[in-house]
Amino acid sequence: MADLSPLLRGLSGATILGINPPVHDFTFSDLWAKPLGLLFLLDYLRRRGNRVHLVDCVYEGRFGFLPFGRSRIRRTEIPKPPPFRSIPRRYNRFGIDRNGLIESLRSLPPPDFILVTSVMTYWYEGVFQTMETLREYFPSARIILGGIYARLCPEHAARSGADEIQSLPLSLDLTKPAMDLYPDRRYGALLTSFGCPLACEYCASSILEPRFRRRPREEVLEDAAAQILNGDVLDLAFFDDALLMGKETHFYPLCRALRKMKPGIRFHTPNGLHVREIDEECALFLKESGFQTIRLSLESIDPGFQKRGSEKTGDKEYLRALSFLKQAGFSPDQLETYVLAGVPGQNPESVEKTIRFIAENGGNARLAEFSPVPGTLSFEHAADIVPELRDEPLLGNKTVFSSYISGLLTPDRLQHFKDLARNTAAGR
Ligand code: SF4
């Protein structure tokens, strides 16, 4: 386990390059996410007198516009890695290729340090290939690999070719992400807190952020102002894990201030909101504040399964929240409800029942396919079924884990769930 905080704290006058590698996966789309951890760190290093640059290989692959500020991302079919060879689906790179990366590097001064981030554990091939290019192009730079994959799979990440792996949380004064490093931004991505006070058995939030903490209000507002009072930004996505917890003293005042700061700004919550927190007042507040896209975390109506999800919601609470949101004026297509499928020990019948329950009550189910996340209890259950998971993160890919890798669901059954969710969606 390594913590490079002392090294990073001591840097000044250095040239530092941040890299977000392209994504290798079956599917991917721009859902407002940005590599916030890397951006917080680049801002910190810049404040300490370093020169910072960023190449986001996903963002560099954007072309054409999608609703609410998002972009289409260039997709190139690539050969499937060996564990996926027999899976009848296309595998792709999302973002720029090696030549595109070299083109971006050409315009930059040689860095002293390169900070490479990583997200999904099963995206590591994009990280490894990027690392090779960086090594060739800037042979004397010291390369540090951080991010979620590096934190959750440090031993595997050691094979990446990086000089150092940041496998522990950074203990630095990180105050805001350097979003200004993105040219032509059309949306903002905001975190008002880190971590989650709950501990669902399939989620790594409490491993990545052992302590739930809210950012100081002034700091969040300064961050938001830098993101939304600039250029063509009309949309802001919240990436908190527990946005509505303690809403009266944290979220409501913040959101009021954001509305004043930029009237007409459109808000989105790509991470599921805690349904229990949505009462009549909250639903009205979300509507009046300009929320456009809301995701609700129900996951399952099976009480046994709800226990595994920290009992964060029950059926009645969900129905109450849905009804308040509709009364507040949200249309069905603005409200999607996550249903988790393919978790070890989950009864597949309960997935179908949950989708039907949501549809019967006027909601829109959105299937979230389970991916085993190292360090969680569900990962251990998954590794009991597929022991190779412990050494091959690719096998945890959410698109294929339940249907092709573990056999927990057949591909046909998973497709049936997807079709059912699509065909029963209210308002479509
Ligand atoms: S409530 Fe959400 S973020 Fe929190 S532990 Fe559960 S799944 Fe993770």
Side-chain angles (χ1 to χ4, degrees):
M1 291 290 182
D3 180 11
L4 302 168
S5 301
L7 167 80
L8 297 165
R9 204 176 290 124
L11 289 181
S12 185
T15 300
I16 296 167
L17 171 60
I19 296 279
N20 185 34
V23 168
H24 289 196
D25 204 340
F26 296 95
T27 60
F28 175 81
S29 60
D30 177 3
L31 289 175
W32 302 284
K34 286 283 164 284
L36 289 175
L38 173 65
L39 296 171
F40 271 98
L41 181 53
L42 291 175
D43 170 75
Y44 170 85
L45 292 165
R46 184 167 55 185
R47 281 188 282 120
R48 296 184 75 83
N50 300 287
R51 293 168 298 280
V52 302
H53 303 273
L54 172 72
V55 177
D56 183 330
C57 298
V58 177
Y59 189 70
E60 291 305 317
R62 70 195 183 284
F63 71 98
F65 297 137
L66 290 173
F68 302 127
R70 297 169 303 130
S71 298
R72 292 184 195 284
I73 303 295
R74 187 190 310 163
R75 174 174 66 178
T76 314
E77 188 172 356
I78 54 175
K80 278 177 269 196
F84 299 154
R85 287 275 153 79
S86 61
I87 294 175
R89 296 204 48 165
R90 290 184 177 169
Y91 196 65
N92 305 291
R93 179 195 311 105
F94 294 90
I96 53 174
D97 62 7
R98 179 184 148 81
N99 290 339
L101 174 58
I102 289 173
E103 198 54 45
S104 299
L105 299 179
R106 239 192 268 285
S107 61
L108 298 173
D112 302 300
F113 289 85
I114 304 180
L115 310 180
V116 180
T117 193
S118 59
V119 189
M120 298 296 181
T121 56
Y122 51 81
W123 289 350
Y124 76 83
E125 288 206 321
V127 174
F128 283 23
Q129 289 182 14
T130 300
M131 202 74 78
E132 267 178 40
T133 307
L134 294 169
R135 220 12 124 207
E136 278 170 39
Y137 203 82
F138 292 128
S140 56
R142 190 163 165 193
I143 305 183
I144 298 172
L145 174 59
I148 294 174
Y149 156 67
R151 291 279 312 281
L152 297 178
C153 305
E155 287 170 15
H156 192 277
R159 305 176 200 169
S160 65
D163 296 301
E164 317 273 2
I165 307 294
Q166 175 65 35
S167 57
L168 292 169
L170 287 167
S171 52
L172 301 171
D173 174 29
L174 305 176
T175 57
K176 68 178 171 60
M179 289 290 278
D180 57 293
L181 295 175
Y182 284 94
D184 313 320
R185 268 177 308 115
R186 295 178 63 241
Y187 60 75
L190 192 65
L191 269 175
T192 78
S193 61
F194 296 103
C196 178
L198 304 184
C200 305
E201 67 169 57
Y202 36 78
C203 175
S205 182
S206 60
I207 300 168
L208 296 166
E209 286 288 348
R211 195 168 59 86
F212 173 62
R213 63 204 157 90
R214 297 193 170 97
R215 295 174 65 199
R217 190 168 155 214
E218 289 315 312
E219 191 181 294
V220 178
L221 290 177
E222 198 185 312
D223 174 0
Q227 296 199 45
I228 63 180
L229 294 180
N230 223 316
D232 298 328
V233 174
L234 294 175
D235 294 272
L236 183 67
F238 290 91
F239 280 92
D240 295 60
D241 285 336
L243 183 65
L244 298 182
M245 282 197 185
K247 55 189 179 293
E248 289 82 4
T249 54
H250 184 69
F251 172 66
Y252 286 172
L254 262 175
C255 207
R256 283 191 194 104
L258 291 172
R259 274 155 54 184
K260 253 194 213 149
M261 191 186 284
K262 185 149 183 174
I265 184 92
R266 299 176 297 209
F267 296 119
H268 309 274
T269 61
N271 286 356
L273 290 179
H274 287 171
V275 166
R276 182 170 288 162
E277 298 292 333
I278 303 175
D279 53 18
E280 190 173 9
E281 182 196 3
C282 181
L284 278 169
F285 185 89
L286 293 170
K287 182 65 188 165
E288 284 165 7
S289 300
F291 277 76
Q292 297 293 322
T293 320
I294 290 196
R295 303 266 192 271
L296 301 169
S297 287
L298 174 62
E299 292 165 7
S300 177
I301 58 167
D302 173 0
F305 192 86
Q306 287 174 352
K307 276 204 180 76
R308 300 168 68 184
S310 312
E311 294 190 300
K312 58 183 168 290
T313 191
D315 311 358
K316 286 196 183 123
E317 288 165 324
Y318 169 73
L319 293 182
R320 214 172 56 111
L322 191 62
S323 156
F324 286 141
L325 288 164
K326 287 198 204 159
Q327 281 168 30
F330 284 101
S331 60
D333 62 342
Q334 290 180 296
L335 306 170
E336 286 191 316
T337 304
Y338 282 127
V339 178
L340 204 45
V343 185
Q346 182 185 34
N347 179 354
E349 293 296 327
S350 70
V351 178
E352 175 140 0
K353 280 188 188 155
T354 304
I355 296 171
R356 291 193 185 280
F357 171 80
I358 293 167
E360 282 160 18
N361 289 289
N364 284 339
R366 183 185 178 96
L367 211 62
E369 293 153 77
F370 168 73
S371 165
V373 185
T376 62
L377 185 58
S378 294
F379 178 90
E380 294 306 317
H381 295 153
D384 287 343
I385 302 166
V386 184
E388 299 83 358
L389 255 182
R390 297 190 189 284
D391 196 50
E392 180 48 272
L394 284 174
L395 297 173
N397 185 299
K398 74 173 172 54
T399 305
V400 293
F401 176 75
S402 57
S403 50
Y404 288 97
I405 306 293
S406 67
L408 286 163
L409 296 170
T410 62
D412 285 349
R413 189 140 201 209
L414 182 62
Q415 190 57 47
H416 165 68
F417 291 152
K418 287 182 189 171
D419 293 343
L420 189 63
R422 193 175 308 118
N423 297 335
T424 57
R428 287 185 192 161

